Amino acid sequence: MTTKAGAKIRNWRKHHEPPLSAEDFGRIYGRPQVWKAQAVYNWEAKGKVARPAVQRRLAALGICEPGDWLEFAEEEGAPNLEGAEVHAGEGHSFFDLHRHGFVRVATATPRTRTADVVYNADGIIEQARAAARENVDLLLYPELSLSSYALDDLHLQTALLDTVERELARICEETRALAPVLVIGAPLRRNGRIYNCALAIARGELLGVVPKSFLPNYREYYEKRWFAHGRDCIGLEIEVAGRSVPFGTDLVFAAANLRGFVFGIEICEDFWAPNPPGTLAALAGATILLNPSASNITIGKADERHLLTRASSSRAVCAYAYSASGHGESTTDLAWDGQGMIYELGDLLVESTRFDLHPELCVTDVDTQRILAERLRVGTFNDAAEAAGRPEDRYRRVTFTHAAAPGDKGLVRPVRRFPFVPNRAHKLDEDCYEAFNIQVDALMRRIQSTGTKSLVIGISGGLDSTHALIVAAKACDRLGRPRTNIHGYTMPGFATSEGTKSNAWKLMKAFGITAEEIDIRPTATTMLENIGHPFADGEPVYDVTFENVQAGLRTDYLFRLAGHHRGFVVGTGDLSELALGWCTYGVGDHMSHYGVNSGVPKTLIQYLIRWTIETRQFDEGVDGVLGDILDTEISPELVPAGADGQIQSTQSIIGPYELNDFFLHHIIRWGQKPSHVAFLAWHAWRDAKAGQWPIDFPEDAKNAYDLPTIAHWLENFLKRFFGFSQFKRSALPNGPKVSAGGALSPRGDWRAPSDAVAEVWLAELAAELPPLER
């Protein structure tokens, strides 16, 4: 049973402004040390008694008295965690999406009946309650959802307008205990005019009213007959349901207790205009734009709405939610499909089922941290704000305290496991073709500009050299040059396996290039002897020097061979290796005359090779070798296999490339905090059966990772990326950027000092993660 003290603590946290999670409560008020979230839950739900020092501290805060620990609470609904399946670090704020800047947004298609305001209000309340059950933070309804849209001259009827105001007051009262902020549509009167309005309501309080700026009056539309436009409504107020609230197109609404939760509103036709008013709201600070729309449906119009919503979210660097009227509107002359959708920075997060006869919620989680990070990077956004006269200085910011309860609410959002890999089914071939040909075209231009007679590539039988050879072969084909201009060399060392050596030869023969083999072991042995390395005396010492002697010799041979054949060395090292510093500086795979793979991460190389097989880009002989290469363990093959035959595994040392590429994308493209990246990775990778995988991804390659594993490899990534490998990237050869996810060239996407340290990122991750067993 719960003690009276435990019940008082829980009640105090719940009614704190803002409400506090157990972890935040212990961190802020714990004295003389932090109270762990688990301890707080033990006091609140399991009847555990706090230590005397803690009892005194709680009494000093006015939360509970020492005597309260001796009495049991008589209340219903106390949390019972006994036997519950909970995450590591039970109750930890890491699992709360709000902690990471996510806002759960939904579009609603409520039940509607033409001109039946009471019925429509019931539908609005019904959807608000459904949204509250789904932990929605911000709920968007269609245009004029309270009155219904297709009313024609009924908009001018006083009885209807009076009923709108009465029902608006009822909506406020009946949603006072609900967490979602509601944005509904209604016709409102002010100073002898009627405005087509959007109203923002939080916990039963009307925050403000935004009028429609642009009124369509063409084809089937006749809004200027009934409504006044709101373009010049600035700094005004309006009397609604007995109280005066802000009114105008100069409003943005912001949660005081949730940074990033800032929204603006434009209505239907507004985003069809050449100068959508929502753009100014975004420039004034809104991260989320809402469009309550009516918008009757005609053939092709759904695509047009997608186009405008996607463009608005991209151009204004924001999330954009759109909700159109559905079944129940008048079909005297028009029809309605109830389309709802939410985009974020040009990415479609969710869309509704159109022509549904039943009420529908379309729910997703918007990443406001991602939006704000992009605005930091895109200087044009700030330039536009300045050119527009700094809208943030003249817009009124209506603040409210968001009432969402803390805790793990999951994540309702598509999170791509492979952010560098194409994921559009209808454009898969086009996207892969584009990625591949960016490399091919870049290499062709370098061949033309240098006038080279040959291309020299070290062929190991691994993924990277295979892909570089594919690109080189295609470049020669397109330039009309014989593939014999490509000189491929396999250079076996002390740990080269027969499998990879055989694959290298099969690959070179299949492509018809000039193929040769140079055994580097004699030269490597001589060098090891010259420097006094123990291996030269027969000792099994396989240190970094042992590895780098082999890697350096291979590159040295390639550069001398390039001079010999009047050509240049085509680099094989990829983006993932550059991020992790998994390359031998200067004399290893770090160096080449042109790094054709330098903008391509390992996961994309794997997928592109798989794509070449499945789309039969080459003959069956080539496809067979490519399949064998894909199935081979990724290894530098610099250390001989152990007594058990176990070969050197790259991923056992630096971590799975699929995780490292996930980390890389979110850190270099969006600048996300490590804890944010960990949160996304946990939701993306914890269940192999959930979410989407790249198209035609092999079943036996579908992995899952728990949070301790993700945290371990993320910590490793941070150390290597921020604290170790930048000096290698600062001296990077030329090479093409391929993915919008970013590249690491110091002349392009990424500029960083070589002597920086990783402590800031490591400390942030350690501070935000729950206690983990590793």
Side-chain angles (χ1 to χ4, degrees), residues 422-754:
N423 70 327
R424 303 184 299 174
H426 65 296
K427 293 216 170 198
L428 176 63
D429 186 71
E430 179 182 323
D431 288 345
C432 290
Y433 169 87
E434 194 168 56
F436 178 56
N437 277 280
I438 289 171
Q439 295 177 271
V440 172
D441 188 77
L443 183 58
M444 287 169 56
R445 180 70 186 98
R446 184 52 56 101
I447 292 171
Q448 291 173 325
S449 66
T450 60
T452 187
K453 300 299 181 183
S454 65
L455 303 177
V456 176
I457 308 178
I459 306 297
S460 68
L463 291 169
D464 294 344
S465 62
T466 297
H467 188 62
L469 178 56
I470 291 171
V471 171
K474 183 64 71 173
C476 285
D477 292 348
R478 289 186 58 189
L479 288 171
R481 293 191 174 201
R483 291 185 184 174
T484 52
N485 281 8
I486 302 171
H487 291 258
Y489 290 88
T490 180
M491 292 177 280
F494 297 115
T496 302
S497 68
E498 281 302 314
T500 55
K501 179 180 172 181
S502 173
N503 281 340
W505 270 107
K506 289 177 183 177
L507 192 66
M508 292 189 290
K509 288 180 178 179
F511 275 104
I513 68 172
T514 302
E516 296 186 49
E517 179 176 319
I518 297 176
D519 187 342
I520 67 168
R521 287 173 293 185
T523 309
T525 300
T526 299
M527 181 175 286
L528 290 167
E529 288 175 351
N530 290 340
I531 65 176
H533 192 276
F535 179 82
D537 295 326
E539 296 183 36
V541 177
Y542 309 126
D543 56 10
V544 173
T545 302
F546 176 80
E547 295 186 28
N548 285 351
V549 162
Q550 297 172 78
L553 275 174
R554 285 175 175 142
T555 303
D556 198 18
Y557 271 118
L558 291 174
F559 270 88
R560 304 299 76 78
L561 287 164
H564 180 59
H565 294 298
R566 299 174 62 192
F568 65 75
V569 177
V570 177
T572 61
D574 63 48
L575 184 68
S576 306
E577 293 175 344
L578 288 168
L580 294 159
W582 191 250
C583 49
T584 305
Y585 182 79
V587 295
D589 48 355
H590 165 260
M591 191 51 59
S592 65
H593 287 115
Y594 194 69
V596 73
N597 285 344
S598 61
V600 189
K602 190 78 74 177
T603 51
L604 180 54
I605 285 177
Q606 289 173 310
Y607 196 78
L608 288 174
I609 293 175
R610 191 174 290 118
W611 170 77
T612 63
I613 298 171
E614 292 171 352
T615 57
R616 301 195 178 279
Q617 299 291 312
F618 305 101
D619 58 41
E620 291 184 3
V622 171
D623 290 348
V625 181
L626 295 179
D628 289 342
I629 290 170
L630 281 171
D631 292 337
T632 302
E633 172 73 43
I634 299 174
S635 171
E637 292 196 325
L638 295 172
V639 174
D644 59 356
Q646 187 69 34
I647 68 169
Q648 184 183 20
S649 171
T650 296
Q651 295 186 96
S652 68
I653 301 170
I654 61 174
Y657 275 116
E658 55 196 13
L659 282 184
N660 282 319
D661 282 357
F662 186 96
F663 304 152
L664 176 65
H665 173 85
H666 289 282
I667 285 173
I668 69 168
R669 177 62 183 88
W670 305 111
Q672 299 286 26
K673 296 185 294 185
S675 61
H676 192 99
V677 177
F679 180 76
L680 288 171
W682 181 61
H683 281 284
W685 287 99
R686 61 178 173 164
D687 184 357
K689 296 179 181 178
Q692 293 186 340
W693 290 88
I695 299 162
D696 296 324
F697 197 84
E699 284 295 325
D700 60 358
K702 293 180 178 179
N703 298 316
Y705 303 99
D706 59 18
L707 185 56
T709 302
I710 290 168
H712 169 72
W713 290 121
L714 178 54
E715 180 181 312
N716 184 71
F717 177 90
L718 297 174
K719 290 175 180 176
R720 297 188 69 96
F721 183 78
F722 288 107
F724 162 67
S725 55
Q726 180 57 41
F727 77 100
K728 298 181 181 181
R729 298 190 290 267
S730 296
L732 194 63
N734 294 169
K737 177 180 177 178
V738 174
S739 169
L744 293 173
S745 168
R747 300 167 296 276
D749 277 8
W750 185 257
R751 297 165 176 83
S754 295

Side-chain angles (χ1 to χ4, degrees), residues 155-434:
H155 285 302
L156 302 174
Q157 290 292 310
T158 302
L160 182 136
L161 296 172
D162 286 348
T163 306
V164 163
E165 293 205 28
R166 285 197 303 271
E167 288 305 301
L168 177 59
R170 181 168 71 91
I171 290 171
C172 289
E173 187 58 36
E174 294 202 24
T175 61
R176 195 170 297 280
L178 303 180
V181 178
L182 314 180
V183 175
I184 68 174
L188 295 179
R189 292 164 290 185
R190 185 184 185 280
N191 199 23
R193 302 179 183 90
I194 304 175
Y195 293 91
N196 181 341
C197 298
L199 299 82
I201 303 168
R203 285 279 183 167
E205 296 296 324
L206 182 58
L207 301 177
V209 177
V210 177
K212 190 172 183 177
S213 291
F214 295 97
L215 304 174
N217 223 60
Y218 53 86
R219 296 197 298 271
E220 62 264 47
Y221 303 110
Y222 210 179
E223 287 193 31
K224 290 182 180 178
R225 179 180 177 97
W226 314 299
F227 300 116
H229 73 77
R231 291 191 298 277
D232 300 323
C233 295
I234 306 294
L236 303 177
E237 294 200 341
I238 187 171
E239 291 285 337
V240 183
R243 60 167 300 186
S244 181
V245 298
F247 174 79
T249 55
D250 59 338
L251 300 180
V252 293
F253 303 87
N257 56 335
L258 188 56
R259 180 176 175 269
F261 186 3
V262 185
F263 66 91
I265 304 170
E266 60 185 13
I267 303 172
C268 197
E269 184 74 8
D270 289 349
F271 91 144
W272 263 277
N275 55 337
T279 301
L280 285 178
L283 294 173
T287 57
I288 303 167
L289 295 182
L290 305 178
N291 189 322
S293 178
S295 187
N296 63 295
I297 187 61
T298 54
I299 295 173
K301 196 171 185 180
D303 289 340
E304 185 179 2
R305 296 177 190 143
H306 270 292
L307 173 68
L308 291 171
T309 306
R310 181 183 182 189
S312 295
S313 72
S314 295
R315 184 183 57 248
V317 192
C318 67
Y320 198 102
Y322 176 91
S323 180
S325 298
H327 183 76
E329 285 283 359
S330 171
T331 55
T332 300
D333 293 299
L334 305 171
W336 317 85
D337 65 334
Q339 186 173 22
M341 58 187 140
I342 301 172
Y343 277 82
E344 178 186 297
L345 302 180
D347 296 333
L348 178 62
L349 300 183
V350 68
E351 61 180 319
S352 66
T353 302
R354 297 166 56 217
F355 300 105
D356 199 334
L357 300 183
H358 304 287
E360 182 180 3
L361 288 177
C362 187
V363 183
T364 193
D365 293 329
V366 166
D367 189 345
T368 63
Q369 282 192 12
R370 179 176 180 241
I371 292 166
L372 292 171
E374 183 69 348
R375 289 180 178 179
L376 291 176
R377 280 159 179 70
V378 181
T380 303
F381 185 86
N382 179 64
D383 290 346
E386 297 289 339
R390 291 179 55 86
E392 63 190 272
D393 294 341
R394 63 179 186 272
Y395 264 66
R396 290 176 288 170
R397 179 170 285 225
V398 181
T399 60
F400 60 96
T401 300
H402 188 46
D408 181 2
K409 307 173 188 68
L411 187 67
V412 185
R413 174 187 177 88
V415 183
R416 292 171 61 184
R417 291 178 171 91
F418 294 85
F420 289 105
V421 173
N423 70 327
R424 303 184 299 174
H426 65 296
K427 293 216 170 198
L428 176 63
D429 186 71
E430 179 182 323
D431 288 345
C432 290
Y433 169 87
E434 194 168 56

